[in-house]
Amino acid sequence: MQAETGNAKDSGALFEQFTVLDQPNLYSRERCDDIQRLVEEITQLKREKDAVILAHNYQRPEIFEVADFVGDSLELAKRGAQVEQGTIVFCGVHFMAETAKILSPEKRVLIPDSNAGCSLAESVNAESLVDMRDELRQQYPDLVVVSYVNTTAEVKAVTDVCCTSSNAVKVVESVDSNNILFVPDENLAAYVARHTSKNIIAWEGNCYVHHQINPEQIEEVRRARPDIRVLAHPECRKDVLDIADAVLSTSGMMKFAREDDAKEFLVVTECGMSDRLLLEIPDKRFFKSCQLCKYMKMITLEGTRDALVEGRDEIKLTAELCDAARSSVERMFELG
Ligand code: 13P
Ligand code: SF4
């Protein structure tokens, strides 16, 4: 995708780019014909294999053509727990597919590329988390571990309650403790800390996509377009969130842009989100930060077709691990 050439320092050029859908070299006549054929093939395969496709908002636009449901992490987790089909193909990153497996262990969950990881999920492992938790509990016996869903199943298994970007403050406010170890996103932790009086102890992790966005890039766009509304994801740094008009999950951005009077939005998150917004709200303009998540973009239509044909890459978790991890996700549903 074009954003791979984006240079974070060259903010003027970054924000001038509109959306990937405007790039004729990426969606040539030939490529569109290929996409059409693949969409038909995948639609047929879904019926034959009793499969449903769930996709995250950051996916490539053509993935939305085959998805049965597109959403943010919370919506996808909820939907994953409810599907009737025997197979879930998850067009997103690995922790999202794992969450679907945790909630529906009897189903076959496939991810088109098992290398589609997440820098946040990689920044914490269960062993180090347990060490830190046990050490902190000597000082704070009531300490509760709140983990962002961007974590592995093993980390969820030693977590008290999960949260997502859309419910993090609510979850923290609802838990029965004043001392929270918040894992693994330091930026989301700092955002939550600004919205609660509780003691938030942050794990030192961040998303490589959001952490590199800086306020100068946003100010530059604002100077050129004073009426633009700036929507930022809470994985961004504090100096970025401080100058945003709204801090929202990916689906929160969709709702905000639909309902707000503004006609132009600067979408400060992974760049695929602006494509999704433009497809859903074509009468408004979306400028993007041009930060691409290389993991999300590992998922392709070809990979999705192959996943259905070959039954790969299947998420395999033991029943014990699913059971141990499930309670922290279900607790989030109850609290959030
Ligand atoms: P959302 O839950 O807001 O979709 O965020 C998921 C994510 O990974 C953002 O980088
Ligand atoms: Fe993970 Fe960041 Fe990619 Fe989201 S954008 S999946 S947090 S690496």
Side-chain angles (χ1 to χ4, degrees), residues 178-194:
N178 269 329
N179 297 298
I180 313 288
L181 173 55
F182 194 97
V183 180
D185 187 3
E186 61 199 349
N187 291 326
L188 183 60
Y191 173 76
V192 171
R194 293 194 292 281

Side-chain angles (χ1 to χ4, degrees), residues 58 93 95 117-120 150 207-210 235 270 293 295-296:
Y58 291 161
V93 290
F95 77 81
C118 167
S119 67
L120 276 169
N150 299 38
C207 160
Y208 86 101
V209 177
H210 291 85
E235 288 174 18
E270 205 271 348
C293 174
Y295 304 112
M296 285 281 180

Side-chain angles (χ1 to χ4, degrees), residues 253-300:
M253 290 179 181
M254 181 78 70
K255 187 167 184 294
F256 189 100
R258 219 188 276 282
E259 292 171 3
D260 196 69
D261 290 342
K263 292 278 173 270
E264 293 190 342
F265 298 85
L266 176 59
V267 186
V268 187
T269 186
E270 205 271 348
C271 52
M273 190 61 209
S274 54
D275 303 323
R276 168 99 174 107
L277 285 162
L278 183 65
L279 286 167
E280 290 294 316
I281 316 171
D283 55 326
K284 298 197 177 182
R285 299 188 83 197
F286 300 98
F287 291 78
K288 61 182 171 179
S289 58
C290 247
Q291 307 293 345
L292 176 143
C293 174
K294 63 181 176 186
Y295 304 112
M296 285 281 180
K297 267 51 186 187
M298 286 177 182
I299 308 300
T300 60

Side-chain angles (χ1 to χ4, degrees), residues 111-274:
I111 182 163
D113 189 333
S114 62
N115 294 314
C118 167
S119 67
L120 276 169
E122 281 156 25
S123 68
V124 54
N125 64 57
E127 209 184 355
S128 330
L129 174 56
V130 167
D131 286 349
M132 187 166 174
R133 178 198 66 188
D134 292 350
E135 203 182 314
L136 283 165
R137 277 199 177 144
Q138 290 174 19
Q139 192 181 351
Y140 307 109
D142 66 338
L143 184 94
V144 163
V145 178
V146 176
S147 293
Y148 197 24
V149 281
N150 299 38
T151 45
T152 61
E154 287 79 6
V155 166
K156 288 186 176 76
V158 293
T159 287
D160 295 304
V161 53
C162 287
C163 70
T164 72
S165 60
S166 62
N167 62 18
V169 174
K170 200 167 177 191
V171 165
V172 163
E173 283 286 286
S174 308
V175 294
D176 195 14
S177 170
N178 269 329
N179 297 298
I180 313 288
L181 173 55
F182 194 97
V183 180
D185 187 3
E186 61 199 349
N187 291 326
L188 183 60
Y191 173 76
V192 171
R194 293 194 292 281
H195 291 84
T196 179
S197 56
K198 294 192 179 189
N199 175 29
I200 306 291
I201 302 157
W203 190 268
E204 282 180 30
N206 57 59
C207 160
Y208 86 101
V209 177
H210 291 85
H211 198 67
Q212 61 182 303
I213 301 173
N214 65 63
E216 290 73 35
Q217 295 170 308
I218 294 161
E219 298 292 15
E220 194 174 329
V221 182
R222 266 235 175 89
R223 275 194 293 278
R225 299 180 172 273
D227 294 333
I228 202 159
R229 205 76 94 224
V230 178
L231 311 182
H233 195 276
E235 288 174 18
C236 294
R237 294 175 346 211
K238 178 180 184 301
D239 52 5
V240 168
L241 299 185
D242 281 349
I243 57 168
D245 293 303
V247 177
L248 299 157
S249 78
T250 56
S251 288
M253 290 179 181
M254 181 78 70
K255 187 167 184 294
F256 189 100
R258 219 188 276 282
E259 292 171 3
D260 196 69
D261 290 342
K263 292 278 173 270
E264 293 190 342
F265 298 85
L266 176 59
V267 186
V268 187
T269 186
E270 205 271 348
C271 52
M273 190 61 209
S274 54

